[in-house]
Amino acid sequence: MDKQVYELRGRQSNLSRLVHFDKEAYIHMLFYRALIILSVVAGAVFFASYFFNLSTAVFRAFFMIIWVLFIPQVFESAKGMSVIATRGFVFGHLNKSYRSTAEKYLKPRAAPLFKAFPYAVLAAWLAGLVLLVLTWFI
Amino acid sequence: MRETIRNAPLYAAMIGVPVLMMAELLSSLFYPPASAILVPLIIIGLFVFGFSAMREVYPKHAISIGTPYYFNGITKTTVEKKEPSVMKKNAKEVKLKLVRFNPSSKRMEANIYTIAVDRFTTVLDALLHIKEKEDSTLSMRYSCRMGICGSCGVVVNGKPCLACETNVLNSTGLSGIEVSPMHGNPLLKDLVNDFDDFFRRHIAVKPQLFREDKVAQYVADAEYPQTQKQVEAFLPYSYCIMCGLCLDACPVVNTNPDFIGPQALSQAQRYLADSRDQLGTERIKLVDSMEGIWGCEFAGSCSKVCPKGVDPATAIQLLKSEAVDRAIKYK
């Protein structure tokens, strides 16, 4: 008799499973999916502004939405670079006993800098958002 | 390396658009005429990002035609009112909600059991107790009971974990503890997943050492000595026990079953990083696709649930960087 299996994969709603154990990943995935659609919409709006007399407020609102949606992407991209540069010794979840023996062979000296790098990038990005709000909206 | 080159615009846009937006913000403050160049570049960047990412997140073949998809909500909850049969000294009563897949109704069903546990009771102990004393029809998979075989992967309170390594009292909240099957692999019955698909993915990355010296490698006294540093380069990825928890945690696998998944990719890195392996670029080509390394969105959940510290997320990022390196070198 053939084995009958049942598939629960393949739906975007499965992303909500992350809420129970990895909120950071959930926000990252949610923002990424929203960004995909909105980046195309924003691109079209910006492009249309060359032909139609669109209000500046519309341009600025879309610019800010894209800026906000990029927050997790900017942080995760910087984190990914740190992970590659340190072979997972920073932000990785490598086996603890392996870490203790391999650190002297593989851990780069600049590991603390790589740990700070994504936070520095995130701080700069958030500072940009504050500046954006202050200069454009207030 | 075709897919690496095809993916370059997405990654360039992912980094380029924020840089251009920051430049646009600064230019609006200090040098407004620069906007005339920056805004068109941002528009192009947004289109490139949007359309390339769409190809990654919503691939054409993400949902195969004819594959049955069923509502995964709980349709029936039964409360077992039996008294706990075993009450050891210092035992506590815990409500365990067991969510199981019923293949005849093709629905998830939940039963709530009240069981007696002590501070050493694991989820596997509790499940075995239910099977022995409450409901002998319960199907589950287990073997070693000490986190080595990787058979007893389940989802406890929403988090994929090994039943034999998860303490009941530590995982019990106010409303008790919930145990359900993994969703990242196809379901068979109750808590049992089908792993045929899992092993197909594993085999697809050729998880064995390849040597060019075909004759010499079978000579009994042939040796391939390695330095400690060479061993450390692949060691963590060889700890994989193939429990499938990373696949269950991976949001990309959960939304796009065509993605090969973190387990297979970590094994690709394991053999690529091994100095004894000589498959080299061919090995990268096996995973250089949208269903391979480029499908990974770096959520990192796979590494967070791995019981052995294999860190598949790091392995995939290293594979990506290696693919880019080789694409630049050999282009």
Side-chain angles (χ1 to χ4, degrees), chain B residues 59-79:
Chain B
K60 278 178 192 167
H61 310 294
I63 296 174
S64 350
I65 297 161
T67 312
Y69 287 90
Y70 296 106
F71 168 67
N72 65 347
I74 296 157
T75 53
K76 191 175 84 183
T77 304
T78 319
V79 181

Side-chain angles (χ1 to χ4, degrees), chain B residues 242-256:
Chain B
M242 297 180 216
C243 56
L245 296 184
C246 53
L247 253 80
D248 189 51
C250 175
V252 184
V253 170
N254 272 274
T255 52
N256 172 17

Side-chain angles (χ1 to χ4, degrees), chain A residues 31 35 60-72 74 122 124-132 136, chain B residues 17-26:
Chain A
F31 275 47
L35 187 62
R60 288 177 175 181
F62 267 102
F63 199 89
M64 211 173 90
I65 290 168
I66 297 293
W67 196 290
V68 170
L69 290 176
F70 255 114
I71 293 171
V74 166
L122 181 68
W125 191 247
L126 290 175
L129 181 66
V130 172
L131 200 64
L132 192 98
W136 282 5
Chain B
V17 172
V19 171
L20 287 169
M21 286 173 79
M22 187 65 97
E24 164 61 14
L25 172 67
L26 295 174

Side-chain angles (χ1 to χ4, degrees), chain A residues 9 13 19-20 30 32 42-44 67 86-87 96-97 107 112 118-119:
Chain A
R9 300 173 293 185
S13 60
V19 176
H20 300 288
L30 215 59
Y32 188 57
W67 196 290
T86 61
R87 298 188 67 86
K96 278 178 192 164
S97 65
K107 192 177 181 181
Y119 295 106

Side-chain angles (χ1 to χ4, degrees), chain A residues 3-12 14-15 17-18 20-22 24-25 28-29 32-33 35-37 39-40 42-44 46-47 50 59 63 66-67 70 74 76-77 79-81 83-84 87-88 92-95 97-98 101-102 105-106 124-125 128 131-132 135-136, chain B residues 14-15 17-18 21-22 24-25 29 39-40 43 46-47 49-51 53 56-58 63 68-70 72 101 103 106 108 155 157-160 183-184 186-188 194 196-197 201 228-229 232 236 239 248-249 251 254-255 297-299 301 303-304 308-309 311 314 317 321:
Chain A
K3 190 163 50 176
Q4 203 173 6
V5 295
Y6 300 93
E7 190 67 85
L8 295 173
R9 300 173 293 185
R11 284 170 298 181
Q12 295 295 323
N14 281 345
L15 289 181
R17 293 188 61 214
L18 287 171
H20 300 288
F21 64 96
D22 194 354
E24 184 190 332
H28 168 49
M29 302 306 281
Y32 188 57
R33 271 147 178 80
L35 187 62
I36 291 166
I37 309 294
S39 62
V40 176
F46 294 166
F47 189 65
Y50 282 105
F59 178 88
F63 199 89
I66 297 293
W67 196 290
F70 255 114
V74 166
E76 297 296 336
S77 301
K79 211 164 127 178
M81 287 174 197
V83 165
I84 291 170
R87 298 188 67 86
H93 294 80
L94 290 165
N95 183 291
S97 65
Y98 164 77
T101 55
Y105 296 105
L106 297 173
W125 191 247
L131 200 64
L132 192 98
T135 53
W136 282 5
Chain B
M14 204 181 272
I15 296 163
V17 172
M21 286 173 79
M22 187 65 97
E24 164 61 14
L25 172 67
L29 292 173
V39 172
I43 294 171
L46 286 171
F47 279 132
F49 173 80
F51 288 117
E56 179 200 346
V57 174
Y58 307 108
I63 296 174
Y69 287 90
Y70 296 106
N72 65 347
F101 177 70
K106 293 161 190 155
M108 289 289 189
V155 178
N157 294 338
K159 185 181 180 182
H183 290 196
L187 285 164
L188 276 174
D194 179 57
D196 286 357
D197 183 46
R201 290 156 192 258
Q228 187 64 29
K229 197 176 176 182
E232 306 291 3
Y239 293 156
D248 189 51
N254 272 274
T255 52
E297 294 172 36
F298 193 46
S301 315
S303 296
K304 284 179 188 163
K308 293 290 157 191
D311 203 353
T314 295
Q317 305 326 304
S321 112

Side-chain angles (χ1 to χ4, degrees), chain B residues 227-243:
Chain B
T227 63
Q228 187 64 29
K229 197 176 176 182
Q230 284 172 328
V231 173
E232 306 291 3
F234 72 86
L235 194 61
Y237 313 114
S238 65
Y239 293 156
C240 179
I241 55 171
M242 297 180 216
C243 56

